[in-house]
Each structure stands twice: as C-alpha cells, then as structure tokens.
mmCIF file of all heavy atoms in Angstrom:
data_model
loop_
_atom_site.group_PDB
_atom_site.id
_atom_site.type_symbol
_atom_site.label_atom_id
_atom_site.label_comp_id
_atom_site.label_asym_id
_atom_site.label_seq_id
_atom_site.Cartn_x
_atom_site.Cartn_y
_atom_site.Cartn_z
ATOM 1 N N MET F 236 -13.938 -12.994 -28.995
ATOM 2 C CA MET F 236 -13.688 -13.787 -27.798
ATOM 3 C C MET F 236 -13.815 -12.878 -26.602
ATOM 4 O O MET F 236 -13.573 -11.670 -26.700
ATOM 5 C CB MET F 236 -12.291 -14.419 -27.826
ATOM 6 C CG MET F 236 -12.045 -15.424 -26.714
ATOM 7 S SD MET F 236 -13.199 -16.816 -26.785
ATOM 8 C CE MET F 236 -12.997 -17.554 -25.188
ATOM 9 N N ILE F 237 -14.194 -13.433 -25.463
ATOM 10 C CA ILE F 237 -14.225 -12.682 -24.225
ATOM 11 C C ILE F 237 -12.786 -12.471 -23.768
ATOM 12 O O ILE F 237 -11.934 -13.351 -23.942
ATOM 13 C CB ILE F 237 -15.055 -13.428 -23.149
ATOM 14 C CG1 ILE F 237 -15.494 -12.490 -22.035
ATOM 15 C CG2 ILE F 237 -14.299 -14.601 -22.596
ATOM 16 C CD1 ILE F 237 -16.579 -11.529 -22.427
ATOM 17 N N PRO F 238 -12.445 -11.321 -23.200
ATOM 18 C CA PRO F 238 -11.066 -11.108 -22.746
ATOM 19 C C PRO F 238 -10.780 -11.882 -21.470
ATOM 20 O O PRO F 238 -11.694 -12.326 -20.772
ATOM 21 C CB PRO F 238 -11.008 -9.598 -22.501
ATOM 22 C CG PRO F 238 -12.406 -9.218 -22.163
ATOM 23 C CD PRO F 238 -13.283 -10.121 -23.009
ATOM 24 N N PRO F 239 -9.513 -12.031 -21.133
ATOM 25 C CA PRO F 239 -9.164 -12.671 -19.858
ATOM 26 C C PRO F 239 -9.583 -11.797 -18.682
ATOM 27 O O PRO F 239 -9.853 -10.604 -18.826
ATOM 28 C CB PRO F 239 -7.634 -12.782 -19.922
ATOM 29 C CG PRO F 239 -7.263 -12.530 -21.344
ATOM 30 C CD PRO F 239 -8.323 -11.656 -21.907
ATOM 31 N N ASP F 240 -9.628 -12.394 -17.502
ATOM 32 C CA ASP F 240 -9.792 -11.616 -16.280
ATOM 33 C C ASP F 240 -8.577 -10.700 -16.122
ATOM 34 O O ASP F 240 -7.456 -11.089 -16.448
ATOM 35 C CB ASP F 240 -9.855 -12.536 -15.060
ATOM 36 C CG ASP F 240 -11.044 -13.490 -15.109
ATOM 37 O OD1 ASP F 240 -11.999 -13.197 -15.840
ATOM 38 O OD2 ASP F 240 -11.006 -14.520 -14.424
ATOM 39 N N VAL F 241 -8.804 -9.486 -15.628
ATOM 40 C CA VAL F 241 -7.692 -8.568 -15.396
ATOM 41 C C VAL F 241 -7.735 -8.066 -13.964
ATOM 42 O O VAL F 241 -8.755 -8.138 -13.281
ATOM 43 C CB VAL F 241 -7.703 -7.383 -16.385
ATOM 44 C CG1 VAL F 241 -7.417 -7.857 -17.788
ATOM 45 C CG2 VAL F 241 -9.028 -6.636 -16.339
ATOM 46 N N ALA F 242 -6.618 -7.530 -13.520
ATOM 47 C CA ALA F 242 -6.491 -7.078 -12.138
ATOM 48 C C ALA F 242 -7.361 -5.857 -11.873
ATOM 49 O O ALA F 242 -7.676 -5.077 -12.780
ATOM 50 C CB ALA F 242 -5.028 -6.735 -11.840
ATOM 51 N N ILE F 243 -7.739 -5.678 -10.623
ATOM 52 C CA ILE F 243 -8.486 -4.501 -10.206
ATOM 53 C C ILE F 243 -7.671 -3.248 -10.545
ATOM 54 O O ILE F 243 -6.439 -3.232 -10.406
ATOM 55 C CB ILE F 243 -8.810 -4.568 -8.702
ATOM 56 C CG1 ILE F 243 -9.715 -3.406 -8.287
ATOM 57 C CG2 ILE F 243 -7.548 -4.629 -7.854
ATOM 58 C CD1 ILE F 243 -10.252 -3.534 -6.870
ATOM 59 N N CYS F 244 -8.336 -2.204 -11.021
ATOM 60 C CA CYS F 244 -7.632 -0.982 -11.411
ATOM 61 C C CYS F 244 -7.389 -0.097 -10.185
ATOM 62 O O CYS F 244 -8.012 -0.256 -9.135
ATOM 63 C CB CYS F 244 -8.408 -0.228 -12.484
ATOM 64 S SG CYS F 244 -9.988 0.469 -11.918
ATOM 65 N N ASP F 245 -6.490 0.877 -10.339
ATOM 66 C CA ASP F 245 -6.144 1.770 -9.232
ATOM 67 C C ASP F 245 -7.344 2.580 -8.767
ATOM 68 O O ASP F 245 -7.495 2.851 -7.568
ATOM 69 C CB ASP F 245 -5.015 2.709 -9.651
ATOM 70 C CG ASP F 245 -3.691 1.982 -9.852
ATOM 71 O OD1 ASP F 245 -3.559 0.847 -9.340
ATOM 72 O OD2 ASP F 245 -2.800 2.536 -10.521
ATOM 73 N N ALA F 246 -8.215 2.972 -9.709
ATOM 74 C CA ALA F 246 -9.383 3.773 -9.336
ATOM 75 C C ALA F 246 -10.316 2.982 -8.429
ATOM 76 O O ALA F 246 -10.875 3.521 -7.459
ATOM 77 C CB ALA F 246 -10.120 4.243 -10.589
ATOM 78 N N CYS F 247 -10.491 1.690 -8.729
ATOM 79 C CA CYS F 247 -11.352 0.863 -7.880
ATOM 80 C C CYS F 247 -10.707 0.596 -6.521
ATOM 81 O O CYS F 247 -11.401 0.511 -5.503
ATOM 82 C CB CYS F 247 -11.700 -0.442 -8.590
ATOM 83 S SG CYS F 247 -12.971 -0.251 -9.876
ATOM 84 N N VAL F 248 -9.381 0.459 -6.488
ATOM 85 C CA VAL F 248 -8.697 0.318 -5.197
ATOM 86 C C VAL F 248 -8.928 1.566 -4.348
ATOM 87 O O VAL F 248 -9.190 1.472 -3.139
ATOM 88 C CB VAL F 248 -7.192 0.058 -5.396
ATOM 89 C CG1 VAL F 248 -6.458 0.091 -4.055
ATOM 90 C CG2 VAL F 248 -6.958 -1.288 -6.079
ATOM 91 N N ARG F 249 -8.858 2.744 -4.973
ATOM 92 C CA ARG F 249 -9.124 3.980 -4.228
ATOM 93 C C ARG F 249 -10.557 3.999 -3.709
ATOM 94 O O ARG F 249 -10.816 4.452 -2.591
ATOM 95 C CB ARG F 249 -8.857 5.196 -5.111
ATOM 96 C CG ARG F 249 -7.385 5.480 -5.352
ATOM 97 C CD ARG F 249 -7.167 6.850 -5.957
ATOM 98 N NE ARG F 249 -7.722 6.950 -7.302
ATOM 99 C CZ ARG F 249 -7.053 6.645 -8.404
ATOM 100 N NH1 ARG F 249 -5.795 6.203 -8.325
ATOM 101 N NH2 ARG F 249 -7.612 6.760 -9.594
ATOM 102 N N ASP F 250 -11.492 3.499 -4.520
ATOM 103 C CA ASP F 250 -12.886 3.439 -4.061
ATOM 104 C C ASP F 250 -13.015 2.552 -2.817
ATOM 105 O O ASP F 250 -13.741 2.876 -1.879
ATOM 106 C CB ASP F 250 -13.788 2.885 -5.175
ATOM 107 C CG ASP F 250 -14.017 3.888 -6.292
ATOM 108 O OD1 ASP F 250 -13.749 5.081 -6.088
ATOM 109 O OD2 ASP F 250 -14.460 3.454 -7.371
ATOM 110 N N ILE F 251 -12.322 1.425 -2.824
ATOM 111 C CA ILE F 251 -12.369 0.515 -1.683
ATOM 112 C C ILE F 251 -11.779 1.177 -0.439
ATOM 113 O O ILE F 251 -12.274 0.984 0.682
ATOM 114 C CB ILE F 251 -11.608 -0.785 -2.011
ATOM 115 C CG1 ILE F 251 -12.348 -1.593 -3.079
ATOM 116 C CG2 ILE F 251 -11.423 -1.648 -0.765
ATOM 117 C CD1 ILE F 251 -11.574 -2.794 -3.579
ATOM 118 N N ASP F 252 -10.741 1.972 -0.646
ATOM 119 C CA ASP F 252 -10.016 2.579 0.480
ATOM 120 C C ASP F 252 -10.619 3.896 0.962
ATOM 121 O O ASP F 252 -10.139 4.460 1.947
ATOM 122 C CB ASP F 252 -8.554 2.825 0.076
ATOM 123 C CG ASP F 252 -7.778 1.529 -0.118
ATOM 124 O OD1 ASP F 252 -8.223 0.495 0.407
ATOM 125 O OD2 ASP F 252 -6.736 1.564 -0.800
ATOM 126 N N THR F 253 -11.636 4.400 0.258
ATOM 127 C CA THR F 253 -12.219 5.698 0.622
ATOM 128 C C THR F 253 -13.315 5.525 1.673
ATOM 129 O O THR F 253 -14.378 4.972 1.375
ATOM 130 C CB THR F 253 -12.809 6.399 -0.622
ATOM 131 O OG1 THR F 253 -11.774 6.565 -1.594
ATOM 132 C CG2 THR F 253 -13.388 7.761 -0.238
ATOM 133 N N PRO F 254 -13.078 5.970 2.916
ATOM 134 C CA PRO F 254 -14.093 5.819 3.968
ATOM 135 C C PRO F 254 -15.382 6.557 3.609
ATOM 136 O O PRO F 254 -15.351 7.669 3.065
ATOM 137 C CB PRO F 254 -13.432 6.461 5.199
ATOM 138 C CG PRO F 254 -11.965 6.449 4.896
ATOM 139 C CD PRO F 254 -11.855 6.626 3.410
ATOM 140 N N GLY F 255 -16.489 5.912 3.873
ATOM 141 C CA GLY F 255 -17.785 6.538 3.638
ATOM 142 C C GLY F 255 -18.295 6.427 2.222
ATOM 143 O O GLY F 255 -19.457 6.763 1.952
ATOM 144 N N GLY F 256 -17.469 5.963 1.301
ATOM 145 C CA GLY F 256 -17.902 5.820 -0.082
ATOM 146 C C GLY F 256 -18.762 4.586 -0.277
ATOM 147 O O GLY F 256 -18.818 3.697 0.572
ATOM 148 N N ARG F 257 -19.427 4.502 -1.433
ATOM 149 C CA ARG F 257 -20.310 3.360 -1.697
ATOM 150 C C ARG F 257 -19.558 2.040 -1.742
ATOM 151 O O ARG F 257 -20.115 0.985 -1.467
ATOM 152 C CB ARG F 257 -21.031 3.553 -3.037
ATOM 153 C CG ARG F 257 -22.204 4.477 -2.968
ATOM 154 C CD ARG F 257 -23.305 4.198 -3.986
ATOM 155 N NE ARG F 257 -22.936 3.604 -5.240
ATOM 156 C CZ ARG F 257 -23.243 2.346 -5.591
ATOM 157 N NH1 ARG F 257 -23.888 1.561 -4.762
ATOM 158 N NH2 ARG F 257 -22.908 1.888 -6.780
ATOM 159 N N TYR F 258 -18.295 2.098 -2.126
ATOM 160 C CA TYR F 258 -17.526 0.866 -2.297
ATOM 161 C C TYR F 258 -16.499 0.656 -1.191
ATOM 162 O O TYR F 258 -15.656 -0.240 -1.301
ATOM 163 C CB TYR F 258 -16.842 0.882 -3.670
ATOM 164 C CG TYR F 258 -17.825 0.991 -4.803
ATOM 165 C CD1 TYR F 258 -18.091 2.222 -5.397
ATOM 166 C CD2 TYR F 258 -18.519 -0.120 -5.252
ATOM 167 C CE1 TYR F 258 -19.020 2.336 -6.428
ATOM 168 C CE2 TYR F 258 -19.445 -0.022 -6.274
ATOM 169 C CZ TYR F 258 -19.694 1.204 -6.861
ATOM 170 O OH TYR F 258 -20.621 1.306 -7.871
ATOM 171 N N ALA F 259 -16.568 1.445 -0.157
ATOM 172 C CA ALA F 259 -15.602 1.331 0.942
ATOM 173 C C ALA F 259 -15.610 -0.087 1.516
ATOM 174 O O ALA F 259 -16.647 -0.591 1.953
ATOM 175 C CB ALA F 259 -15.926 2.339 2.035
ATOM 176 N N GLY F 260 -14.464 -0.737 1.463
ATOM 177 C CA GLY F 260 -14.326 -2.066 2.043
ATOM 178 C C GLY F 260 -15.039 -3.175 1.303
ATOM 179 O O GLY F 260 -15.099 -4.305 1.803
ATOM 180 N N TYR F 261 -15.538 -2.907 0.060
ATOM 181 C CA TYR F 261 -16.281 -3.952 -0.651
ATOM 182 C C TYR F 261 -15.344 -4.761 -1.539
ATOM 183 O O TYR F 261 -14.696 -4.239 -2.439
ATOM 184 C CB TYR F 261 -17.421 -3.371 -1.476
ATOM 185 C CG TYR F 261 -18.238 -4.468 -2.137
ATOM 186 C CD1 TYR F 261 -18.831 -5.461 -1.358
ATOM 187 C CD2 TYR F 261 -18.364 -4.548 -3.516
ATOM 188 C CE1 TYR F 261 -19.539 -6.506 -1.934
ATOM 189 C CE2 TYR F 261 -19.079 -5.575 -4.106
ATOM 190 C CZ TYR F 261 -19.657 -6.553 -3.311
ATOM 191 O OH TYR F 261 -20.356 -7.592 -3.878
ATOM 192 N N TRP F 262 -15.314 -6.045 -1.346
ATOM 193 C CA TRP F 262 -14.318 -6.936 -1.927
ATOM 194 C C TRP F 262 -14.445 -7.109 -3.435
ATOM 195 O O TRP F 262 -13.448 -7.356 -4.120
ATOM 196 C CB TRP F 262 -14.405 -8.314 -1.266
ATOM 197 C CG TRP F 262 -15.579 -9.125 -1.748
ATOM 198 C CD1 TRP F 262 -16.845 -9.060 -1.292
ATOM 199 C CD2 TRP F 262 -15.573 -10.092 -2.803
ATOM 200 N NE1 TRP F 262 -17.659 -9.926 -1.979
ATOM 201 C CE2 TRP F 262 -16.901 -10.578 -2.914
ATOM 202 C CE3 TRP F 262 -14.596 -10.597 -3.657
ATOM 203 C CZ2 TRP F 262 -17.256 -11.543 -3.854
ATOM 204 C CZ3 TRP F 262 -14.953 -11.552 -4.590
ATOM 205 C CH2 TRP F 262 -16.268 -12.022 -4.683
ATOM 206 N N ALA F 263 -15.671 -6.998 -3.989
ATOM 207 C CA ALA F 263 -15.890 -7.297 -5.415
ATOM 208 C C ALA F 263 -16.042 -6.037 -6.247
ATOM 209 O O ALA F 263 -16.688 -6.054 -7.292
ATOM 210 C CB ALA F 263 -17.109 -8.197 -5.582
ATOM 211 N N THR F 264 -15.447 -4.949 -5.817
ATOM 212 C CA THR F 264 -15.521 -3.690 -6.558
ATOM 213 C C THR F 264 -14.799 -3.818 -7.900
ATOM 214 O O THR F 264 -13.683 -4.344 -7.975
ATOM 215 C CB THR F 264 -14.886 -2.562 -5.732
ATOM 216 O OG1 THR F 264 -15.604 -2.430 -4.500
ATOM 217 C CG2 THR F 264 -14.920 -1.242 -6.475
ATOM 218 N N SER F 265 -15.457 -3.339 -8.971
ATOM 219 C CA SER F 265 -14.841 -3.357 -10.301
ATOM 220 C C SER F 265 -15.521 -2.316 -11.175
ATOM 221 O O SER F 265 -16.488 -1.669 -10.766
ATOM 222 C CB SER F 265 -14.949 -4.742 -10.946
ATOM 223 O OG SER F 265 -16.304 -5.069 -11.203
ATOM 224 N N CYS F 266 -15.023 -2.164 -12.401
ATOM 225 C CA CYS F 266 -15.620 -1.212 -13.348
ATOM 226 C C CYS F 266 -15.415 -1.743 -14.768
ATOM 227 O O CYS F 266 -14.993 -2.897 -14.947
ATOM 228 C CB CYS F 266 -15.008 0.182 -13.172
ATOM 229 S SG CYS F 266 -13.270 0.304 -13.658
ATOM 230 N N VAL F 267 -15.679 -0.908 -15.769
ATOM 231 C CA VAL F 267 -15.539 -1.391 -17.152
ATOM 232 C C VAL F 267 -14.090 -1.699 -17.511
ATOM 233 O O VAL F 267 -13.826 -2.399 -18.488
ATOM 234 C CB VAL F 267 -16.099 -0.368 -18.177
ATOM 235 C CG1 VAL F 267 -17.590 -0.235 -18.041
ATOM 236 C CG2 VAL F 267 -15.401 0.968 -18.057
ATOM 237 N N ASN F 268 -13.145 -1.189 -16.725
ATOM 238 C CA ASN F 268 -11.732 -1.344 -17.059
ATOM 239 C C ASN F 268 -11.033 -2.459 -16.295
ATOM 240 O O ASN F 268 -9.831 -2.661 -16.484
ATOM 241 C CB ASN F 268 -10.992 -0.028 -16.793
ATOM 242 C CG ASN F 268 -11.510 1.108 -17.655
ATOM 243 O OD1 ASN F 268 -11.774 0.921 -18.836
ATOM 244 N ND2 ASN F 268 -11.668 2.279 -17.062
ATOM 245 N N CYS F 269 -11.750 -3.170 -15.427
ATOM 246 C CA CYS F 269 -11.047 -4.152 -14.613
ATOM 247 C C CYS F 269 -11.994 -5.244 -14.121
ATOM 248 O O CYS F 269 -13.211 -5.146 -14.274
ATOM 249 C CB CYS F 269 -10.376 -3.467 -13.412
ATOM 250 S SG CYS F 269 -11.509 -2.846 -12.147
ATOM 251 N N GLY F 270 -11.385 -6.260 -13.512
ATOM 252 C CA GLY F 270 -12.170 -7.298 -12.860
ATOM 253 C C GLY F 270 -12.346 -8.558 -13.681
ATOM 254 O O GLY F 270 -11.738 -8.753 -14.733
ATOM 255 N N PRO F 271 -13.218 -9.455 -13.205
ATOM 256 C CA PRO F 271 -13.409 -10.748 -13.868
ATOM 257 C C PRO F 271 -14.131 -10.615 -15.204
ATOM 258 O O PRO F 271 -15.007 -9.763 -15.361
ATOM 259 C CB PRO F 271 -14.249 -11.537 -12.858
ATOM 260 C CG PRO F 271 -14.985 -10.497 -12.083
ATOM 261 C CD PRO F 271 -14.057 -9.323 -11.994
ATOM 262 N N ARG F 272 -13.766 -11.450 -16.140
ATOM 263 C CA ARG F 272 -14.439 -11.530 -17.435
ATOM 264 C C ARG F 272 -14.655 -13.009 -17.787
ATOM 265 O O ARG F 272 -15.732 -13.537 -17.664
ATOM 266 C CB ARG F 272 -13.607 -10.830 -18.534
ATOM 267 C CG ARG F 272 -13.433 -9.328 -18.337
ATOM 268 C CD ARG F 272 -14.738 -8.560 -18.431
ATOM 269 N NE ARG F 272 -14.546 -7.117 -18.493
ATOM 270 C CZ ARG F 272 -14.445 -6.304 -17.450
ATOM 271 N NH1 ARG F 272 -14.474 -6.796 -16.228
ATOM 272 N NH2 ARG F 272 -14.308 -4.996 -17.613
ATOM 273 N N TYR F 273 -13.570 -13.677 -18.193
ATOM 274 C CA TYR F 273 -13.667 -15.074 -18.602
ATOM 275 C C TYR F 273 -14.207 -15.961 -17.482
ATOM 276 O O TYR F 273 -15.008 -16.864 -17.724
ATOM 277 C CB TYR F 273 -12.293 -15.577 -19.051
ATOM 278 C CG TYR F 273 -12.241 -17.054 -19.350
ATOM 279 C CD1 TYR F 273 -12.858 -17.576 -20.488
ATOM 280 C CD2 TYR F 273 -11.583 -17.941 -18.498
ATOM 281 C CE1 TYR F 273 -12.817 -18.940 -20.761
ATOM 282 C CE2 TYR F 273 -11.534 -19.291 -18.764
ATOM 283 C CZ TYR F 273 -12.152 -19.793 -19.901
ATOM 284 O OH TYR F 273 -12.108 -21.144 -20.160
ATOM 285 N N SER F 274 -13.797 -15.706 -16.253
ATOM 286 C CA SER F 274 -14.173 -16.601 -15.156
ATOM 287 C C SER F 274 -15.662 -16.554 -14.834
ATOM 288 O O SER F 274 -16.169 -17.458 -14.154
ATOM 289 C CB SER F 274 -13.362 -16.277 -13.897
ATOM 290 O OG SER F 274 -13.662 -14.976 -13.434
ATOM 291 N N ILE F 275 -16.378 -15.526 -15.322
ATOM 292 C CA ILE F 275 -17.805 -15.423 -14.990
ATOM 293 C C ILE F 275 -18.724 -15.591 -16.191
ATOM 294 O O ILE F 275 -19.944 -15.674 -16.036
ATOM 295 C CB ILE F 275 -18.125 -14.070 -14.309
ATOM 296 C CG1 ILE F 275 -17.858 -12.899 -15.265
ATOM 297 C CG2 ILE F 275 -17.354 -13.910 -13.012
ATOM 298 C CD1 ILE F 275 -18.378 -11.560 -14.754
ATOM 299 N N ILE F 276 -18.193 -15.675 -17.405
ATOM 300 C CA ILE F 276 -19.027 -15.679 -18.606
ATOM 301 C C ILE F 276 -19.606 -17.073 -18.867
ATOM 302 O O ILE F 276 -18.938 -18.086 -18.704
ATOM 303 C CB ILE F 276 -18.224 -15.214 -19.846
ATOM 304 C CG1 ILE F 276 -19.125 -15.040 -21.069
ATOM 305 C CG2 ILE F 276 -17.085 -16.167 -20.148
ATOM 306 C CD1 ILE F 276 -20.034 -13.857 -20.981
ATOM 307 N N ARG F 277 -20.882 -17.097 -19.239
ATOM 308 C CA ARG F 277 -21.517 -18.355 -19.644
ATOM 309 C C ARG F 277 -21.648 -18.433 -21.160
ATOM 310 O O ARG F 277 -21.399 -19.459 -21.759
ATOM 311 C CB ARG F 277 -22.893 -18.479 -18.989
ATOM 312 C CG ARG F 277 -22.834 -18.657 -17.472
ATOM 313 C CD ARG F 277 -24.169 -19.161 -16.912
ATOM 314 N NE ARG F 277 -24.056 -19.415 -15.485
ATOM 315 C CZ ARG F 277 -24.436 -18.571 -14.537
ATOM 316 N NH1 ARG F 277 -24.967 -17.400 -14.867
ATOM 317 N NH2 ARG F 277 -24.290 -18.866 -13.258
ATOM 318 N N THR F 278 -22.084 -17.345 -21.758
ATOM 319 C CA THR F 278 -22.257 -17.326 -23.206
ATOM 320 C C THR F 278 -22.229 -15.883 -23.686
ATOM 321 O O THR F 278 -22.310 -14.947 -22.887
ATOM 322 C CB THR F 278 -23.583 -18.007 -23.615
ATOM 323 O OG1 THR F 278 -23.643 -18.112 -25.039
ATOM 324 C CG2 THR F 278 -24.783 -17.226 -23.123
ATOM 325 N N LEU F 279 -22.078 -15.710 -24.982
ATOM 326 C CA LEU F 279 -22.079 -14.378 -25.588
ATOM 327 C C LEU F 279 -23.445 -14.092 -26.196
ATOM 328 O O LEU F 279 -24.171 -15.018 -26.546
ATOM 329 C CB LEU F 279 -20.986 -14.300 -26.670
ATOM 330 C CG LEU F 279 -19.548 -14.321 -26.153
ATOM 331 C CD1 LEU F 279 -18.579 -14.454 -27.322
ATOM 332 C CD2 LEU F 279 -19.235 -13.065 -25.355
#
C-alpha cells in the first residue's frame, strides 16, 4: 500500500528558510522522507 501523507521534515524546513538556496521560500519542498504520498498517487 502507498503510505499516508506525512509532515515536512526539519531538513526541508531548513532548506526553505536558507536564503539563496535552491529551495528558499519554495512552498512544495520535500524529499524521500517527507511530503505528500497518498494524496497524489494515481496507481502503483
């Protein structure tokens, strides 16, 4: 089964908060350890 959606991880929050980084201020930042799963899956 696909896992449930999980909360953004601390590392991704740091990426969002790091000025000048690739993910600075980006709302949909995620990685293999966090973010949407079930809410975006169509099929396996």
Side-chain angles (χ1 to χ4, degrees):
M236 189 60 195
I237 199 73
D240 298 340
V241 293
I243 186 171
C244 67
D245 292 342
C247 283
V248 173
R249 286 193 294 271
D250 286 344
I251 292 173
D252 292 340
T253 302
R257 280 209 331 110
Y258 301 98
Y261 184 57
W262 76 276
T264 300
S265 65
C266 68
V267 293
N268 298 318
C269 70
R272 296 295 191 272
Y273 173 72
S274 64
I275 64 170
I276 187 71
R277 292 196 176 98
T278 187
L279 290 171

